[in-house]
Amino acid sequence: MQHRTRPLLAALAAAGVTAAGLVGTTAAAPTAEAAGPTTIRVVQHNTDQHKDRFLEVVRDLEQGRADVGLMQEVCQSWVKDLKKKHKGWTVSYHEQTSNPDCPAGKGNVAIRPGKGSVFAEAYNVPGEGKTFGLACVAFGFGGIRTHACSTHLSTYDTNAAVVRRGETERIKAITNSWIDAKDAVIVAGDMNSQPTSTELDPLYLYPASRSEGRFVEAGQLARDRKKRVGPDTHRKGKIDYVFFSENHTPLAAGAKLAQEKTSGHKILRVTTTLR
């Protein structure tokens, strides 16, 4: 993907969110793989800084049980070790903050076991001392150029709902260009928002009466329903999501959604198709 900077949308400025610049990218676009099966398997998880959970998702990738892994609250040291072990993998990391459990920093990671390119962008969120943002990998899959992104939206800021809305507006602006180019896009992460919240309107395509986005969420695919649905993923309710761009994953594509219980966020495993 090309290295570029752009001004934030007015909604971001109103929310007090400013661009911190690109934090990791490669300019070379991946070449599309030969046409093949369009079934794609995605694993999404907020690890809560538990290394064993991070390694469980990595094992899914190592053993061919998943095509892409998207995680949050991942220690940077784990990512460095992963890159050393799997030098042929594509790994995008965006540092969010320092943490006693992650002295070198923690953040979002997107992992594709194979060739591709990376993209990351950070947003400065005043009041939390954290840098929220997006980490993405792009790769050819079944002849379709595919982008998979990991994100973690704002949590504790006194104006958190407005800030989260600004963050999803920014995600929409970034991904629109990819969707316009007829690429497939996956956005997953801990959104710290309930399905019906206005913060998620820039992502959801359905229901049309209130939605402003171009994505169908895994819970909707699994139930073939336009209503914003899905089982709880945390004690706070449904706050973890896997979104697929409707241009390659329409509602009729369906999905299998499995959740593995942990002491914190559930591990989400989604199987669907790109069309």
Side-chain angles (χ1 to χ4, degrees), residues 229-244:
V229 296
D232 290 352
T233 63
H234 188 267
R235 59 181 174 78
K236 295 180 181 179
K238 179 176 171 62
I239 60 173
D240 303 277
Y241 298 79
V242 185
F243 288 95
F244 296 85

Side-chain angles (χ1 to χ4, degrees), residues 81-116:
D81 291 343
L82 176 69
K83 288 181 176 179
K84 290 178 182 177
K85 183 178 180 181
H86 294 290
K87 295 182 179 179
W89 287 16
T90 304
V91 181
S92 178
Y93 174 74
H94 159 255
E95 184 174 331
Q96 178 178 309
T97 184
S98 60
N99 184 279
D101 295 324
C102 298
K106 71 173 183 178
N108 309 317
V109 67
I111 307 169
R112 165 63 177 167
K115 295 181 179 180

Side-chain angles (χ1 to χ4, degrees), residues 62-134:
E62 289 174 332
Q63 296 174 12
R65 293 194 296 265
D67 302 300
V68 64
L70 304 166
M71 289 182 278
Q72 302 79 48
E73 299 198 27
V74 170
C75 294
Q76 187 179 46
S77 59
W78 307 346
V79 176
K80 289 182 178 179
D81 291 343
L82 176 69
K83 288 181 176 179
K84 290 178 182 177
K85 183 178 180 181
H86 294 290
K87 295 182 179 179
W89 287 16
T90 304
V91 181
S92 178
Y93 174 74
H94 159 255
E95 184 174 331
Q96 178 178 309
T97 184
S98 60
N99 184 279
D101 295 324
C102 298
K106 71 173 183 178
N108 309 317
V109 67
I111 307 169
R112 165 63 177 167
K115 295 181 179 180
S117 64
V118 300
F119 170 93
E121 184 172 302
Y123 325 122
N124 214 1
V125 183
E128 287 200 37
K130 301 178 182 179
T131 306
F132 289 86
L134 196 67

Side-chain angles (χ1 to χ4, degrees), residues 188-210:
D190 177 356
M191 306 297 183
N192 281 308
S193 306
Q194 300 302 311
T196 57
S197 66
T198 59
E199 299 103 276
L200 298 183
D201 287 354
L203 298 180
Y204 273 107
L205 175 64
Y206 302 117
S209 59
R210 58 166 298 180

